[in-house]
Amino acid sequence: GENVEQHPSTLSVQEGDSAVIKCTYSDSASNYFPWYKQELGKRPQLIIDIRSNVGEKKDQRIAVTLNKTAKHFSLHITETQPEDSAVYFCAASRNDYKLSFGAGTTVTVRA
Amino acid sequence: GAGVSQSPSNKVTEKGKDVELRCDPISGHTALYWYRQRLGQGLEFLIYFQGNSAPDKSGLPSDRFSAERTGESVSTLTIQRTQQEDSAVYLCASGATSETDTQYFGPGTRLTVL
């Protein structure tokens, strides 16, 4: 089955700086890669996703890049703000319903 | 519109007791998923329902775990003879189709087994 690894497990950045989280996956047939944000005590919420026919996708301060050859994808948050502090999860799926999640990255934005 | 709802929000039980957790998906969503999230960890897939098809139970950790779904509506996750290692947040999600569409999560049920 799919194995998704996520790094780093924790990330502390100064407000205004950028944050980058990287994930690798094992199943070359995977073609859907969502990112979820989970604030403390709350439910995971989709923040951005990318499909394998696209190399990069951007939505305001967040962007995701995908390298299918290397089987890795990354989340980039620019101009970080305190409200970006949360746990971020990457996931991968091979065109079916079963998402395989990474272990999560705890992001702390220091004011 | 209403999102995914789950009940109870918190459940404390004694080891060996049975518990039942409920999920109400978004109306019209045919896909429903259950996940387990242990403290500080990622999401573990438990079970998936899609319409009237046979569910994918491949993520259920033991035969103490079972889940039912009534048509395309409410689902219940039952854990029999609870153990302390069952303590976790149980998250339900629903989606519009069986394809790789967005999964919308409920708030979760925090289960504590004493």
Side-chain angles (χ1 to χ4, degrees):
Chain A
E2 176 70 278
N3 181 41
V4 178
E5 295 195 353
Q6 183 171 348
H7 300 281
S9 57
T10 61
L11 180 60
S12 179
V13 295
Q14 189 69 39
E15 183 177 358
D17 287 351
S18 295
V20 180
I21 304 169
K22 297 181 179 180
C23 289
T24 60
Y25 60 97
S26 60
D27 187 348
S28 57
S30 289
N31 62 0
Y32 176 62
F33 307 92
W35 286 87
Y36 284 82
K37 175 183 179 182
Q38 187 176 30
E39 296 177 21
L40 190 61
K42 298 198 174 174
R43 72 191 77 186
Q45 293 199 303
L46 180 75
I47 54 171
I48 195 167
D49 58 11
I50 192 167
R51 296 182 189 271
S52 60
N53 56 348
V54 175
E56 183 174 356
K57 185 176 177 181
K58 212 172 174 183
D59 182 4
Q60 299 183 350
R61 295 186 298 106
I62 59 173
V64 58
T65 59
L66 171 66
N67 183 327
K68 285 218 74 181
T69 304
K71 291 192 283 188
H72 67 69
F73 56 113
S74 301
L75 178 72
H76 304 251
I77 307 172
T78 58
E79 300 169 25
T80 52
Q81 300 169 6
E83 55 264 35
D84 295 329
S85 295
V87 180
Y88 292 80
F89 293 97
C90 64
S93 174
R94 55 176 302 176
N95 200 31
D96 60 16
Y97 50 84
K98 197 181 293 185
L99 289 176
S100 296
F101 284 86
T105 297
T106 301
V107 174
T108 304
V109 179
R110 307 186 306 273
Chain B
V4 179
S5 61
Q6 291 184 245
S7 61
S9 54
N10 279 285
K11 176 73 177 177
V12 180
T13 190
E14 292 180 347
K15 179 180 170 182
K17 297 281 176 97
D18 298 351
V19 295
E20 196 171 272
L21 313 179
R22 178 187 167 111
C23 171
D24 282 271
I26 293 172
S27 178
H29 278 189
T30 58
L32 187 146
Y33 313 77
W34 283 98
Y35 294 90
R36 178 170 68 180
Q37 186 176 31
R38 291 198 165 108
L39 186 64
Q41 298 191 19
L43 284 75
E44 287 177 76
F45 168 82
L46 296 178
I47 189 169
Y48 162 75
F49 294 92
Q50 170 55 28
N52 294 317
S53 302
D56 178 347
K57 305 179 181 180
S58 61
L60 294 178
S62 78
D63 59 8
R64 296 187 296 105
F65 288 71
S66 63
E68 300 290 333
R69 188 180 185 194
T70 308
E72 294 184 353
S73 60
V74 170
S75 176
T76 54
L77 176 69
T78 301
I79 309 173
Q80 295 178 308
R81 305 181 301 281
T82 51
Q83 304 294 313
Q84 288 183 332
E85 61 262 28
D86 299 334
S87 295
V89 175
Y90 289 83
L91 288 158
C92 172
S94 72
T97 72
S98 64
E99 299 299 323
T100 52
D101 274 343
T102 301
Q103 294 185 22
Y104 296 88
F105 283 85
T109 294
R110 182 175 299 279
L111 175 66
T112 303
V113 182
L114 301 176

